[in-house]
Amino acid sequence: MTSTNSALRPTAVTSHAGLLIMNADDWGRDRLTTDRILDCCLLGAVSSVSAMVFMEDSERAAAIAREQGIEAGLHLNFTTPFSGSGVPDGLAERQQRIARHLSRHRLAQTVFHPGLMRSFEYVAAAQLDEFRRLYGAAPERVDGHHHMHLCANVLIQRLLPMGTMVRRSFSFDRGEKSLGNHLYRSLVDRSLARRHRLTDYFFSLPPLEPASRLRKIFSLASQFTVEMETHPVNPEEHRYLAGGELFRQIGDIRMARPSVMRPVATSRNA
């Protein structure tokens, strides 16, 4: 997995090599999810969160993030019903329409649906606006619940704010996925890289075994920028992060917030 001559060769080169971003998804989904993530943030085992809006704990989670200085991006949600109070009926209706399309079959997210263009635009814009209201600023980073920020309508309609950091497709070694799958992911990532900032690699924390899998991923972070997603609401992941196993495995690998990948301003005379 550590060979850059394999299918894991990064498709977008960053200027922040040697960096591990441990990002917790679903911040604000409900009280338990937020509290489990907060445990890990306070211990330094999570470096950033992806925040859901219009959910039952979104308001409290945003207040905690602002008070504690937790770096949050937007976790765009097209698939799980909004559970917050006071969600406009029209917004909930349009989201449900999108969710039905995306859950229709395994490859639905790769199919552009012209009849849902206005719904996708409305639901994405509403979440961006709500994030601004809750966090006091536009998100500098965007990813998606169930990774639906990479569905065809979002990409073709260019609904992700230009210049933001956006989560790339999952990284896989050669042979883990079909050639067609690799080609599709590569196409998506190259398209994203034209308008957004990407990490070099992206993985999920689980499976935690065999331990050799995580060691290989962490070794990549000694040379490249690696994002790893985690869901500490899952007991196994929470134990791994809160119990200190992460720090025992990463050694001297540098963990940092995604904001270190902000473009560096250069002088016009440079």
Side-chain angles (χ1 to χ4, degrees), residues 203-249:
F203 300 95
S204 172
L205 176 59
L208 299 176
E209 298 293 340
S212 58
R213 170 186 173 268
L214 290 177
R215 282 198 298 270
K216 289 177 182 177
I217 292 172
F218 295 145
S219 72
L220 285 171
S222 66
Q223 304 174 61
F224 302 101
T225 303
V226 175
E227 179 188 0
M228 180 168 279
E229 70 163 12
T230 181
H231 297 84
V233 71
N234 297 330
E236 185 183 30
E237 293 182 56
H238 184 262
R239 280 194 300 271
Y240 176 86
L241 295 167
E245 187 59 30
L246 170 68
F247 297 112
R248 285 189 283 274
Q249 289 196 334

Side-chain angles (χ1 to χ4, degrees), residues 46-66:
V46 160
S47 51
S48 59
V49 301
S50 292
M52 301 181 83
V53 297
F54 297 119
M55 301 301 281
E56 66 177 81
D57 202 41
S58 293
E59 296 269 357
R60 187 181 75 102
I64 292 171
R66 296 182 71 174

